[in-house]
Amino acid sequence: MSTEVTKHNDQTATHFWRADITGLRALAVIPVILYHAFPMLAPGGYVGVDIFFVISGFLISGIIFRQLKSRGNVCYGDFYAKRIRRILPNLLILFLVVVAFGWFVLLPREYESVARSVTASAFFYQNFSLLKRLGDYFAPAVAQSPLMHLWSLAIEEQFYLIFPLLCWGVWKISRSPRILFAVICGGTLLSLIACLMVSDKTFDFYFPLTRFWELGAGIILSFCVEFYGLKSSQIPLAVRNTTSVIGFGLILFSVAALGHGTVFPGWATLLPIAGSLLFIYSGHDALINRFLSLKPFVFIGLISYSLYLWHWPILSYLHIVILEPTTWQLAAALLVAFLLSVLIYVGVENPVRRMTKGIWGKASVAVLVILLLGFYGLGKLIRAMDGLPDRQVPIVQMFGAAGEDWAGRAGMKGISLGGVEVWATPQENRQILFIGDSHTQQYAPRAQALAEKTNVGSVFFTVPGCLTVPGVPGEITRARTEECGNFAKNLEKVLAAHKFRKVVFSGKFGGYAFQTAVSIENGQKRLLGPEFLAQGVKALRDLVERVSPETEFVVILDSAWLDRGAAKFGITNRLDLSDIKPGFEVQPDQLWLRGNETVRKALEGKATFIDGSAYLCPQGLCGFDWLIDTDHLRASYVRDRAVWLDPVFEDLK
């Protein structure tokens, strides 16, 4: 059994390959795949990505350190050429398949979102893009983002770009291993402290500086091996057998014991990081290391990059196409991902990686970079064309207009009231203030139409994803802590700066009271609950009455929405549109109804209520034709048919 191989790639650097570390890659990728497909089998399977970070830090920094020792600098051309030939061939094929398959099954807004991910992934800033757009990695919505998983590749590439330059700069100035080691240790420690201190865990998850310490742990071990001669062979085998078992145990414990409720990254992340370090340092001949050096583990480790790339888009598209995939369908998806990974590894990855000499070596790098730029341009083009709503495919022809029909702020203009930025209709006679979340913003098209008809203008002060009442203890569904927490204070400024005849309040009440997790100061999560919702809307009503006593307080009860992440417009299979549901029935325990009832009871006698359910759900059947997604109304439907909003304007014209 081959456990350690030395390959002389050039005269200045030696690249080491260890079968056990390759086997550790298998131990990293398998839990990730299980977590994505069957989370109950590996509730902490996401720690596999952290193991990959340690491995990458150890191996990549080893290459750089050996070059610094042997030649005093870093051979950037060779280093980046190898990274390009290693990473891009598989990634480019992935882009091609994801974009091509999305052509047939994605609605325009979804296709535009995938195109955005292609551009972000092509230039390796997907982590920043997700931080801005998607938010929580553990949220259900990520299942319908086929390239979401490339956030980790982006962080690694950012490391590949910056770390060699950092090492070269420090070495050029000092020529001192001690100073370089101090810089690396200092950066790793500061990154760990930042990770543990940052309260916004979505930011913590995607931001490279709060993730660097995981790579830094592997870098420190590599530095000690390369510069300080910290060889595992110096330690008795019995001791290394013990550390190997402990490291393996820490990794398995992390996979089995951690879960959605764990603050991650955080203190718990130290478990898989420490386990990976102990395993690597134990050496190729330690007990568990020998086990993971067996051919099946080594083979999975060799295809781990390919397997990581392909498993998630296949699972994601399965969840997009089919409403509720069965266990067998999920298992079949993983089998397809495995076979495809093997095929691409053997047929594409390895041949391209071997193109290192002569004209073919340079040409391969140039072609790969040109193709990458081409996909970046393709993603930009799809986005510029709004997700190609005119595609001649059944799903787009049947539902494309609905899928693209979001209200936005078209036709409105930004103004400042009391130093607070708000959006308003062009009419100067602004007598109505709309406040709330995206469920309030969705009424903008009707408000604009009524403003033109009645000459009664309106102002919209909304924060998507936030329950806009006093005292919300953090962000609701997105990283909007500051906006949510400051809403009541800013609302007071807006009310004091302009005299409104009516304040109209709406929101996804049932989501905040019965469904949505809220991040609070200690990083944990809980539900707001119906009691907080009731207290919050009372406090909001009191705030409006105190600042503007003559203003009428109007509540638009929330429109019907699906409690579960059902397929859009009742489609259970996007490849078979022959059996589309006409709508969904109103059930007494649905969250939107329970939220409305909570608000109605809390404000009984203190507000005017408007209920559009008679129009949206006649005879208890809510049509899918007015939905843009599971809980928002289409702009064209609101503009043309949301007549329940009309009384707000009619008595002011």
Side-chain angles (χ1 to χ4, degrees):
M1 178 177 63
S2 174
T3 56
E4 188 168 86
V5 177
T6 304
K7 295 182 180 179
H8 297 277
N9 295 317
D10 53 49
Q11 296 178 348
T12 61
T14 304
H15 174 68
F16 293 94
W17 176 79
R18 277 172 45 182
D20 60 321
I21 294 181
T22 304
L24 183 60
R25 290 183 181 274
L27 186 60
V29 76
I30 291 173
V32 172
I33 293 172
L34 289 178
Y35 172 73
H36 286 154
F38 307 106
M40 295 301 294
L41 295 179
Y46 49 82
V47 304
V49 173
D50 305 275
I51 299 172
F52 275 124
F53 284 160
V54 175
I55 295 173
S56 292
F58 179 80
L59 295 178
I60 297 301
S61 65
I63 296 172
I64 296 169
F65 295 151
R66 287 189 288 274
Q67 289 187 351
L68 288 177
K69 284 168 47 178
S70 62
R71 59 186 296 170
N73 58 25
V74 178
C75 183
Y76 296 106
D78 179 67
F79 179 81
Y80 291 119
K82 288 178 180 177
R83 303 283 78 72
I84 289 171
R85 286 192 291 265
R86 172 72 175 95
I87 293 168
L88 292 194
N90 211 325
L91 185 64
L92 294 173
I93 298 174
L94 180 71
F95 288 162
L96 177 63
V97 173
V98 167
V99 171
F101 191 74
W103 173 279
F104 297 100
V105 300
L106 296 181
L107 294 170
R109 290 183 73 238
E110 298 168 333
Y111 203 44
E112 182 182 4
S113 178
V114 165
R116 187 185 299 272
S117 291
V118 169
T119 58
S121 299
F123 277 14
F124 302 107
Y125 59 87
Q126 174 75 322
N127 54 323
F128 292 108
S129 180
L130 291 176
L131 178 61
K132 180 181 179 181
R133 295 188 298 115
L134 189 59
D136 189 4
Y137 170 83
F138 301 102
V142 302
Q144 297 189 357
S145 181
L147 296 177
M148 174 273 302
H149 64 318
L150 296 184
W151 70 269
S152 61
L153 182 62
I155 287 181
E156 288 202 20
E157 294 307 307
Q158 290 155 17
F159 159 69
Y160 294 158
L161 181 64
I162 295 173
F163 185 72
L165 296 174
L166 174 66
C167 289
W168 174 82
V170 174
W171 191 264
K172 189 77 173 176
I173 295 172
S174 67
R175 295 284 177 175
S176 171
R178 290 185 179 181
I179 294 178
L180 179 58
F181 187 59
V183 171
I184 292 171
C185 289
T188 301
L189 181 60
L190 289 175
S191 173
L192 174 59
I193 292 173
C195 174
L196 297 177
M197 293 186 64
V198 170
S199 59
D200 186 341
K201 290 306 170 184
T202 300
F203 178 90
D204 227 8
F205 195 93
Y206 292 116
F207 199 69
L209 294 183
T210 54
R211 285 287 195 171
F212 169 76
W213 69 273
E214 301 177 40
L215 292 145
I219 295 170
I220 291 173
L221 178 58
S222 175
F223 192 97
C224 292
V225 170
E226 296 297 335
F227 283 97
Y228 294 144
L230 190 65
K231 306 295 184 182
S232 59
S233 57
Q234 299 171 345
I235 309 297
L237 181 59
V239 175
R240 290 190 286 112
N241 284 340
T242 302
T243 57
S244 176
V245 171
I246 293 174
F248 185 67
L250 288 175
I251 292 173
L252 291 186
F253 178 80
S254 303
V255 171
L258 303 184
H260 286 183
T262 305
V263 177
F264 207 89
W267 288 106
T269 317
L270 293 170
L271 294 174
I273 300 301
S276 303
L277 292 175
L278 287 173
F279 179 90
I280 293 172
Y281 182 66
S282 295
H284 65 88
D285 56 343
L287 182 61
I288 303 299
N289 298 62
R290 293 199 303 270
F291 174 68
L292 289 184
S293 297
L294 296 174
K295 289 184 178 180
F297 293 111
V298 172
F299 179 73
I300 294 176
L302 289 172
I303 67 168
S304 59
Y305 171 65
S306 186
L307 195 54
Y308 180 78
L309 280 191
W310 285 96
H311 84 281
W312 178 251
I314 293 174
L315 288 173
S316 179
Y317 269 129
L318 179 63
H319 282 282
I320 291 172
V321 170
I322 299 176
L323 175 59
E324 294 182 345
T326 65
T327 300
W328 289 109
Q329 287 171 330
L330 291 168
L334 294 186
L335 178 60
V336 171
F338 178 79
L339 296 176
L340 193 58
S341 299
V342 173
L343 179 63
I344 294 176
Y345 173 77
V346 174
V348 179
E349 271 194 50
N350 275 344
V352 175
R353 288 174 68 183
R354 295 191 183 107
M355 295 180 182
T356 59
K357 297 180 180 180
I359 187 65
W360 288 108
K362 295 180 180 179
S364 63
V365 171
V367 169
L368 290 171
V369 171
I370 291 172
L371 290 175
L372 186 69
L373 293 174
F375 274 107
Y376 180 83
L378 177 62
K380 284 287 190 181
L381 179 62
I382 294 174
R383 290 174 58 187
M385 299 179 69
D386 299 323
L388 299 172
D390 296 325
R391 280 173 285 146
Q392 299 298 309
V393 293
I395 184 72
V396 177
Q397 291 297 300
M398 192 173 295
F399 297 104
E404 185 63 19
D405 201 2
W406 171 239
R409 289 166 173 163
M412 305 182 76
K413 64 178 182 178
I415 63 172
S416 177
L417 290 178
V420 180
E421 182 182 352
V422 295
W423 292 85
T425 55
Q427 290 75 12
E428 295 294 334
N429 182 29
R430 300 177 182 123
Q431 302 187 44
I432 305 171
L433 173 65
F434 286 84
I435 60 174
D437 58 12
S438 59
H439 283 220
T440 305
Q441 185 180 330
Q442 68 186 357
Y443 288 110
R446 188 72 180 180
Q448 293 180 67
L450 290 170
E452 295 175 0
K453 177 181 177 181
T454 64
N455 196 34
V456 176
S458 57
V459 171
F460 278 74
F461 181 30
T462 59
V463 184
C466 290
L467 176 59
T468 50
V469 300
V472 175
E475 80 269 21
I476 306 301
T477 58
R478 303 178 186 176
R480 297 179 179 273
T481 308
E482 186 174 351
E483 290 180 87
C484 293
N486 290 337
F487 182 85
K489 179 174 64 176
N490 290 331
L491 175 61
E492 189 169 351
K493 295 178 181 178
V494 171
L495 291 171
H498 187 86
K499 185 176 182 179
F500 293 100
R501 298 279 298 280
K502 294 183 179 182
V503 170
V504 180
F505 172 53
S506 185
K508 192 178 180 180
F509 303 132
Y512 304 123
F514 303 101
Q515 180 189 57
T516 304
V518 183
S519 297
I520 54 179
E521 286 76 7
N522 61 4
Q524 300 298 315
K525 292 188 176 183
R526 65 175 173 84
L527 300 181
L528 284 177
E531 296 81 10
F532 182 89
L533 174 64
Q535 295 170 3
V537 296
K538 287 179 182 177
L540 179 66
R541 173 66 181 87
D542 292 342
L543 171 63
V544 173
E545 185 176 33
R546 174 172 56 83
V547 180
S548 185
E550 299 180 359
T551 300
E552 180 183 356
F553 193 74
V554 180
V555 176
I556 303 178
L557 296 175
D558 199 16
S559 55
W561 44 269
L562 297 160
D563 292 353
R564 301 170 61 232
K568 292 177 176 59
F569 320 117
I571 305 169
T572 58
N573 188 335
R574 295 195 182 192
L575 298 178
D576 180 11
L577 302 180
S578 61
D579 184 25
I580 299 176
K581 297 178 181 179
F584 59 98
E585 296 181 358
V586 176
Q587 303 295 333
D589 62 341
Q590 284 184 295
L591 301 185
W592 65 275
L593 279 175
R594 295 166 66 189
N596 284 348
E597 186 62 23
T598 300
V599 172
R600 190 189 288 273
K601 287 183 178 179
L603 296 178
E604 187 174 2
K606 297 182 178 181
T608 301
F609 293 97
I610 295 177
D611 189 354
S613 60
Y615 301 92
L616 297 168
C617 308
Q619 300 178 340
L621 184 66
C622 306
F624 286 107
D625 61 318
W626 43 259
L627 282 173
I628 182 177
D629 50 27
T630 56
D631 65 312
H632 292 96
L633 305 177
R634 289 193 288 117
S636 57
Y637 181 93
V638 171
R639 182 185 60 248
D640 299 334
R641 299 173 62 183
V643 296
W644 57 92
L645 193 63
D646 294 12
V648 175
F649 288 78
E650 291 294 340
D651 59 355
L652 296 178
K653 65 180 179 180

